[in-house]
Amino acid sequence: MTKIMDVKANLTGVVWQIDAEPGTIVAEDDPIVTVESMKMEIPIGAPADGEVVEILVTKDAQVEDGQVVARIRTK
């Protein structure tokens, strides 16, 4: 059975880079989006193995702690 999981930002910052596109197969903790906060680049990783199905942010967008930035499909 497949499940859709939200990938959430764990800090407030600005999207510095999109590391994965829809269709990308990721392993747990693989970076999906990198956020810049306080001059540090922090990757937001996949919560589980799966496939990226949706990216919900764009480069240079402001994100808040807990905001959903992407969704992945897991097995």
Side-chain angles (χ1 to χ4, degrees):
M1 176 162 82
T2 63
K3 178 181 174 184
I4 301 295
M5 294 184 73
D6 290 340
V7 180
K8 296 180 181 181
N10 51 4
L11 71 157
T12 298
V14 175
V15 176
W16 184 74
Q17 178 174 298
I18 306 292
D19 299 299
E21 298 295 328
T24 303
I25 302 299
V26 293
E28 185 174 358
D29 295 327
D30 280 356
I32 295 178
V33 174
T34 301
V35 173
E36 188 272 325
S37 180
M38 298 173 50
K39 300 190 183 200
M40 293 177 55
E41 296 157 6
I42 298 107
I44 298 172
D49 296 350
E51 177 185 356
V52 177
V53 293
E54 190 174 18
I55 300 292
L56 301 170
V57 293
T58 57
K59 185 173 176 5
D60 299 323
Q62 178 76 31
V63 294
E64 300 295 325
D65 184 24
Q67 178 178 337
V68 178
V69 297
R71 291 195 173 95
I72 66 169
R73 178 181 299 118
T74 64
K75 294 181 182 181

